[in-house]
Amino acid sequence: MATINTHYRKLSAGYLFPEIARRAKAYQSEHPDAFLHKLGIGNTTEALPPAILEGLHNKIEKLGHVDTYSGYGDEQGDTPLREALSQYYTSFGVDIKSDEFFVSDGAKADAANIQSIFGDGNVIAIQDPAYPVYVDSNVVSGRTGSFNSETGRYDGFVYLPAHSGNNFIPSVPEEKVDIMYLCSPNNPTGAVMNHEQLQSFVDYARTHKAVIIYDAAYSEFISDPSLPRTIYEIEGAKECAIEINSFSKFAGFTGVRLGWTIVPHQLMCENSEAGELHKLWNRRQVTFFNGASNISQAGGLSVLTERGLSECRAVIAYYMNNARIIREGLQQIGLEVIGGKNAPYLWVKSPNGLTSWQFFDKFLTECQVIVTPGSGFGPAGEGYVRISSFGHKEHIEKAMLSIVKNLSV
Ligand code: PLP
């Protein structure tokens, strides 16, 4: 008799994006001539730059000839790509050995799977609000109690709320936790941790033999040189932190699919030897993963060339110009906005105590603009919406014209 993994029943989510779609559809059917501007989704829209296209084309060409064809590669990723990633980190003054990189088909799956190398009893701390995969992967693995619909929290998790009182950067936990998920630049708030803030988490982790899982998927959007681009800029981080990153937003690979995870040899936790967590992740990958697409990896290698980096950074600058247009428009009408300076997301406070969904409805019905309700990312997101700067500039400008003209605040 087969039984299901009943932890799945605890999941509260699956509600945010379907509900956005439902409300947008209902509005559209009542207003068939309305054009809905989408400022909600974190999906890239601009074409891949030429250097990357060349890399992809060349690899496809090679696959079409028997003497240059290649099949399965190493589960950990192709050596030239791992070496190029190591060089990329050297450019930030950080020394990560090429064999500490595990190339993946994207950050989301790694962020979901990484918990599998840790014991069931670990106490998990998460930033609130947060990208949902950190919470949900630990819920289905049985590390929580039930979802409490009154508090919007799962029993058993330690929530680290981000709010205006701490400039949207949580402090270290007051109690002892074992694993902490941090995301900087943050999705959804757009807040970025500075060296001192990140150092305090690293110090906490070393003191308590905890592990930080650091999602740096938006690191390329940091333009302020004083902000850390990787957790390994922080002293002691190699002993206590795993970093996950992605080519998705960095290089427009949301559909191409490529990412990486760094598990340093020095990483340790309470009952492990140095090197053991690295070996466990290696074991996990060779057992359950057959490597990222060799075409994607060739594209990734092109991203990391001088020309590739400069072309990808030009696309990022384009999105960040969108972020500026959005921020200035929202501020013009008196809204409180954070993010959008070193991150592609803007976090906008609802005026007059509106809930996230009430503010969402206002954007939809008054301006025909779709945003994302902050409460969908965790209870501390209540009273905010997230706006994304991914989109064509002309669409962003039209949406902002509508907001500035029509939103009553
Ligand atoms: N991490 C964060 C914080 C994200 O916002 C996203 C995507 O939106 C991801 C990871 C997923 O990245 P990937 O496309 O590499 O799976």
Side-chain angles (χ1 to χ4, degrees):
M1 190 175 67
T3 58
I4 61 163
N5 173 356
T6 52
H7 297 305
Y8 272 86
R9 289 192 178 140
K10 295 182 196 160
L11 287 177
S12 70
Y15 165 71
L16 178 66
F17 288 102
E19 179 61 14
I20 292 174
R22 192 194 65 74
R23 292 191 191 206
K25 199 170 157 208
Y27 182 84
Q28 189 82 78
S29 63
E30 281 166 31
H31 304 86
D33 297 332
F35 178 83
L36 295 185
H37 308 273
K38 298 191 178 82
L39 293 189
I41 310 239
N43 203 354
T44 47
T45 56
E46 301 313 297
L48 292 175
I52 320 307
L53 271 190
E54 265 172 42
L56 293 167
H57 279 150
N58 289 343
K59 182 66 189 176
I60 292 172
E61 197 50 42
K62 282 186 178 165
L63 291 174
H65 300 278
V66 71
D67 11 335
T68 47
Y69 172 82
S70 59
Y72 290 129
D74 295 337
E75 291 89 346
Q76 300 87 347
D78 294 343
T79 301
L81 179 58
R82 296 171 93 198
E83 283 170 353
L85 282 165
S86 176
Q87 281 299 314
Y88 171 69
Y89 276 73
T90 306
S91 70
F92 308 124
V94 167
D95 173 32
I96 307 282
K97 305 277 175 274
S98 59
D99 71 349
E100 294 176 301
F101 289 89
F102 292 88
V103 174
S104 71
D105 59 3
K108 190 176 191 173
D110 281 4
N113 292 325
I114 197 77
Q115 48 74 31
S116 69
I117 62 171
F118 295 98
D120 291 344
N122 283 295
V123 176
I124 311 291
I126 33 140
Q127 284 172 290
D128 175 21
Y131 183 57
V133 68
Y134 321 134
V135 169
D136 289 0
S137 57
N138 281 288
V139 171
V140 299
S141 309
R143 291 200 184 85
T144 56
S146 314
F147 181 70
N148 179 333
S149 53
E150 267 172 37
T151 59
R153 293 178 166 196
Y154 285 94
D155 295 336
F157 274 147
V158 172
Y159 286 80
L160 306 176
H163 45 71
S164 57
N166 56 19
N167 287 323
F168 298 90
I169 302 294
S171 310
V172 296
E174 282 164 15
E175 55 277 81
K176 184 180 178 321
V177 304
D178 306 308
I179 296 176
M180 297 180 280
Y181 286 84
L182 301 178
C183 173
S184 178
N186 192 266
N187 177 11
T189 67
V192 187
M193 287 192 178
N194 64 28
H195 278 84
E196 295 71 42
Q197 289 157 337
L198 205 43
Q199 184 76 59
S200 68
F201 278 93
V202 168
D203 292 345
Y204 175 100
R206 290 171 83 194
T207 307
H208 295 91
K209 294 196 178 159
V211 172
I212 298 170
I213 297 170
Y214 188 72
D215 186 338
Y218 298 96
S219 56
E220 271 292 327
F221 289 74
I222 295 176
S223 54
D224 178 344
S226 75
L227 294 170
R229 300 276 299 255
T230 152
I231 195 166
Y232 302 114
E233 286 182 42
I234 308 301
E235 206 204 318
K238 282 191 196 168
E239 285 166 35
C240 64
I242 291 173
E243 181 163 301
I244 298 175
N245 210 320
S246 171
F247 286 90
S248 281
K249 313 297 162 83
F250 174 3
F253 274 32
T254 41
V256 177
R257 308 305 301 143
L258 196 67
W260 70 90
T261 286
I262 299 166
V263 186
H265 293 297
Q266 289 106 303
L267 181 71
M268 286 189 64
C269 65
E270 178 122 15
N271 62 349
S272 78
E273 323 240 319
E276 198 174 349
L277 284 161
H278 176 91
K279 282 190 195 137
L280 288 190
W281 184 245
N282 188 57
R283 182 73 170 85
R284 193 264 166 214
Q285 291 300 81
V286 298
T287 310
F288 297 139
F289 182 60
N290 246 347
S293 146
N294 52 17
I295 301 169
S296 303
Q297 293 192 68
L301 198 53
S302 305
V303 171
L304 297 172
T305 60
E306 204 180 320
R307 187 175 148 219
L309 283 172
S310 111
E311 290 180 1
C312 290
R313 286 172 177 161
V315 179
I316 288 172
Y318 173 94
Y319 290 129
M320 290 311 292
N321 185 48
N322 288 347
R324 181 190 58 76
I325 294 169
I326 299 168
R327 191 179 56 250
E328 289 175 0
L330 297 171
Q331 284 171 342
Q332 190 186 325
I333 54 171
L335 287 169
E336 225 178 289
V337 187
I338 74 132
K341 286 194 173 151
N342 292 284
Y345 298 116
L346 298 100
W347 192 236
V348 190
K349 187 166 171 49
S350 309
N352 313 318
L354 295 181
T355 66
S356 297
W357 278 110
Q358 286 168 334
F359 198 25
F360 168 92
D361 284 336
K362 222 169 149 49
F363 273 106
L364 177 62
T365 57
E366 295 178 5
C367 320
Q368 293 72 54
V369 171
I370 300 175
V371 296
T372 309
S375 53
F377 297 97
E382 183 55 275
Y384 287 86
V385 296
R386 186 194 77 174
I387 297 190
S388 160
S389 62
F390 293 108
H392 302 312
K393 180 172 173 247
E394 52 285 11
H395 291 172
I396 302 273
E397 282 171 338
K398 281 194 187 125
M400 288 317 298
L401 274 180
S402 176
I403 291 172
V404 169
K405 187 163 157 235
N406 301 315
L407 194 74
S408 60
V409 289

